[in-house]
């Protein structure tokens, strides 16, 4: 009988964390910036199955309690806290090289035992903001408890849904050339100011971009006070946006069974990850809007596709570095059969027409949904926060019918303990209307004006 050989697949833990410690106190130091000089903390071989543990993206700043003061006063110079970087080599010891594709398979993920909870937040308008910060300026928080694949919150009663766990942030390290491109274009955006952009008066999250900031920088094993640290801290990119290397793209479908093709920009690729989400709605509209997991793990496997960038990724910009990852979607996702769908057009709250602007259209769809669901016993802040983290589906439905873009937001009806569909008797009133409590809140102390619809009638 022929001998059958088996390859060992028990994952090796390459990054372990203690959720009770700060990121800088961990055995392997986390990092919260992107820079090619951040040293790799371990090497993984092509085809090796390995496990990575992650801390919540704030580094433990948000607590499991009923106060939103921690959300209001969060130190955003300390985010996102990432595990890694990991150098990737083939079985001959040759590293992934610039121009390759790094193929990352997500084999498993979940909460660390004993830490089966997470949080969703709305940032204070003057400390983070969000997609609707001009409507909801005060900081709020909800705590979610996990039961297997399901979650529920004492701050949003009457709602329960399955999660689709995924890393909000995963990517390879930039080269110095790519880092310089990021810093130049984002610096130009900030320098020109909000008057120079079409959406400056419609979307109110500020700053327009988070530029390099040495304060709060964690750079893995680079030692503070050294010339190497000081140089990197001054030019390292913040982790807030997604970019050509992947990064903080917040794609909820990057879950178990998914395969991602990342461009490689430096020797070894230097793969990093963090910001684990139990669940997220399309758009993550409140900014701290997914269910952010307290502590989590991923089990991964990498392969190297030599020369894959040139073969498969077409640059959409002035250099060969202007590319983006691609991914194969997982076969796993929550299944719902009934949805209530809200439409939005590219007309803002003051009735001004915008030309085929999907951001304005999606903002209108979200606002339409919030005002509708508030008729069923929820506060508008509860709905805003819930739309950030429940398995809702956002779509760009039309981009060619000038002047209006059309976007839709679909809500699964089954996540509620009441029927939210329109009926002849109208929305629930009197004894049929059940109050659903409220979020933890922290008063907004600023003076920036709110955006209110020009028509301020019955709704």
């Amino acid at each position: 009988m022929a001998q059958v050989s088996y390859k060992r697949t028990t994952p090796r833990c390459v990054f372990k964390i203690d959720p009770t410690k700060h990121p800088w106190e961990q055995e392997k130091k986390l990092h919260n910036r992107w820079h090619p000089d951040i040293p790799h903390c371990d090497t993984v071989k092509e085809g090796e199955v390995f496990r990575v543990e992650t801390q919540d993206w704030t580094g433990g700043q948000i607590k499991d309690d009923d106060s939103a003061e921690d959300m209001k006063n969060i130190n955003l110079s300390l985010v996102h806290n990432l595990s890694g970087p990991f150098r990737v080599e083939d079985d001959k010891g040759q590293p992934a090289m610039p121009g390759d594709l790094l193929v990352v398979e997500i084999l498993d993920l979940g909460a660390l035992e004993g830490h089966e909870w997470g949080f969703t937040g709305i940032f204070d308008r003057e400390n983070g903001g969000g997609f609707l910060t001009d409507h909801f300026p005060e900081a709020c928080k909800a705590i979610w408890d996990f039961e297997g694949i399901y979650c529920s919150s004492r701050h949003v009663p009457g709602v329960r849904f399955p999660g689709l766990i995924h890393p909000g942030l995963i990517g390879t390290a930039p080269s110095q050339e790519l880092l310089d491109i990021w810093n130049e274009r984002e610096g130009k955006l900030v320098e020109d100011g909000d008057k120079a952009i079409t959406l400056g008066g419609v979307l109110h999250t500020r700053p327009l971009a988070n530029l390099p900031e040495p304060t709060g920088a964690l750079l893995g094993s680079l030692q503070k006070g050294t010339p190497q640290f000081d140089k990197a801290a001054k030019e390292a990119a913040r982790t807030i946006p997604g970019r050509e290397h992947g990064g903080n793209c917040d794609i909820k479908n990057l879950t178990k069974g998914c395969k991602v093709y990342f461009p490689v920009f430096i020797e070894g690729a230097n793969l990093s990850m963090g910001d684990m989400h139990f669940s997220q709605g399309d758009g993550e509209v409140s900014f701290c809007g997914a269910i952010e997991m307290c502590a989590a793990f991923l089990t991964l496997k990498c392969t190297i596709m030599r020369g894959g960038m040139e073969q498969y990724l077409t640059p959409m910009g002035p250099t060969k570095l202007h590319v983006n990852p691609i991914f194969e979607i997982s076969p796993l996702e929550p299944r719902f059969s009934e949805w209530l769908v809200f439409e939005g057009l590219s007309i803002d709250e003051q009735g001004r027409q915008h030309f085929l602007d999907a951001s304005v259209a999606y903002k209108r769809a979200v606002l339409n949904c919030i005002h509708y669901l508030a008729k069923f016993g929820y506060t508008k802040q509860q709905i805003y926060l819930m739309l950030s983290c429940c398995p809702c589906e956002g779509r760009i439905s039309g981009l060619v019918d000038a002047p209006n873009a059309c976007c839709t937001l679909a809500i699964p009806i089954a996540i509620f303990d009441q029927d939210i569909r329109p009926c002849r008797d109208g929305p629930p009133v009197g004894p049929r209307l059940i109050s659903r409590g409220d979020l933890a809140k922290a008063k907004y102390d600023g003076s920036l004006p709110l955006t209110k619809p020009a028509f301020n009638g019955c709704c």
Side-chain angles (χ1 to χ4, degrees), residues 243-246 261-263 313-314 316 321-326:
R243 299 183 180 95
E244 285 84 349
H245 68 142
Y261 300 80
F262 289 107
L313 303 183
T314 302
M316 293 294 170
L321 305 181
H322 288 79
V323 295
N324 296 101
I326 56 179

Side-chain angles (χ1 to χ4, degrees), residues 89-142:
E89 296 179 349
D90 62 21
D91 56 3
K92 297 178 181 178
Q94 298 300 309
M97 296 298 292
D100 294 342
L101 285 179
L102 183 67
V103 186
V104 179
E105 295 182 62
I106 301 177
L107 305 179
D108 198 10
L109 24 64
L112 290 189
E113 186 175 354
H115 300 277
E116 294 87 357
W117 68 276
F119 60 88
T120 306
I122 300 172
F123 286 137
D124 187 276
R125 182 171 180 178
E126 296 182 40
N127 188 29
F131 192 51
L132 301 182
T133 194
D134 53 322
H135 289 262
F136 304 105
E138 66 180 347
C140 300
K141 183 177 77 178

Side-chain angles (χ1 to χ4, degrees), residues 200-366:
V202 182
L203 301 181
H204 296 270
T205 292
R206 299 293 183 271
L208 297 177
N210 291 272
L211 302 181
E213 173 55 65
T215 301
L218 300 176
L219 303 177
S221 61
L222 282 183
Q223 294 297 314
K224 285 189 176 182
T226 64
Q228 295 86 352
F229 182 96
D230 292 341
K231 173 184 180 297
K234 289 178 182 178
E235 59 189 19
R238 299 297 305 277
T239 58
I240 304 300
R243 299 183 180 95
E244 285 84 349
H245 68 142
N248 192 34
C249 292
D250 291 317
I251 300 172
K252 69 181 184 183
N253 302 99
L254 297 184
T255 189
K256 183 189 301 187
C258 180
K259 184 182 292 186
V260 192
Y261 300 80
F262 289 107
V264 176
F265 299 103
I266 69 168
E267 180 181 312
N270 278 15
L271 178 71
S272 299
M273 66 216 65
D275 187 26
M276 291 291 288
H277 298 169
F278 186 84
S279 178
Q280 180 196 299
D282 281 339
E284 198 190 10
V285 289
S286 78
F287 191 7
C288 186
I291 299 180
E292 309 288 347
M293 301 178 74
C294 167
F297 74 90
L298 306 93
T299 303
L300 306 169
K301 183 173 68 172
C302 296
T303 54
I304 301 168
M305 191 174 293
R306 299 294 183 187
M309 281 179 63
E310 183 176 354
Q311 292 175 319
Y312 290 105
L313 303 183
T314 302
M316 293 294 170
T319 77
K320 65 180 181 181
L321 305 181
H322 288 79
V323 295
N324 296 101
I326 56 179
F327 72 98
E328 298 178 36
I329 197 169
S330 166
L332 304 177
E333 62 180 355
R335 295 180 180 178
F336 299 98
S337 59
E338 296 181 303
W339 302 76
L340 196 61
V341 182
F342 297 86
E343 178 184 323
L345 302 175
S346 52
I347 303 163
D348 67 26
E349 296 93 317
Q350 307 309 312
R352 291 173 298 204
Q353 180 73 61
H354 294 257
F355 180 68
L356 297 177
D357 198 310
S359 294
V360 175
Y362 197 66
K363 184 180 183 184
R364 285 298 306 272
V366 174

